[in-house]
Amino acid sequence: MTDEKTSGSDERLSYEQARAELASVVERLEAGGTSLEESLALWERGEALTVICQRWLDGARARIDAARPDPTA
């Protein structure tokens, strides 16, 4: 899971951990009261967490698709 938006420690996050942290980031952004710089950092963190979650979901979809019998066979 390496990418310019994820760090090495992010690669070890489970889907549930990434989703929970993303929810926390969204709550902080929605609450307001942060500086522009902090808001931008939160936004960037949210984007990175979204990439992690999407990769988990894509992997799950691939596993499900691989487990299904081929309807054309």
Side-chain angles (χ1 to χ4, degrees), residues 32-54:
T34 58
S35 68
L36 177 60
E37 189 63 34
E38 186 177 2
S39 294
L40 288 172
L42 286 168
W43 180 268
E44 290 168 346
R45 182 63 181 156
E47 289 289 324
L49 291 164
T50 299
V51 168
I52 293 167
C53 288
Q54 190 61 55

Side-chain angles (χ1 to χ4, degrees), residues 2-73:
T2 25
D3 156 310
E4 63 207 32
K5 292 185 177 184
T6 59
S7 72
S9 63
D10 286 346
E11 292 179 29
R12 292 186 287 274
L13 287 176
S14 70
Y15 172 78
E16 291 78 8
Q17 290 169 322
R19 187 189 65 208
E21 187 179 343
L22 179 57
S24 174
V25 166
V26 169
E27 285 177 17
R28 289 179 64 195
L29 284 168
E30 287 178 342
T34 58
S35 68
L36 177 60
E37 189 63 34
E38 186 177 2
S39 294
L40 288 172
L42 286 168
W43 180 268
E44 290 168 346
R45 182 63 181 156
E47 289 289 324
L49 291 164
T50 299
V51 168
I52 293 167
C53 288
Q54 190 61 55
R55 285 185 180 160
W56 274 107
L57 293 172
D58 291 345
R61 170 57 62 196
R63 288 177 63 187
I64 290 168
D65 290 345
R68 286 188 178 161
D70 185 358
T72 61

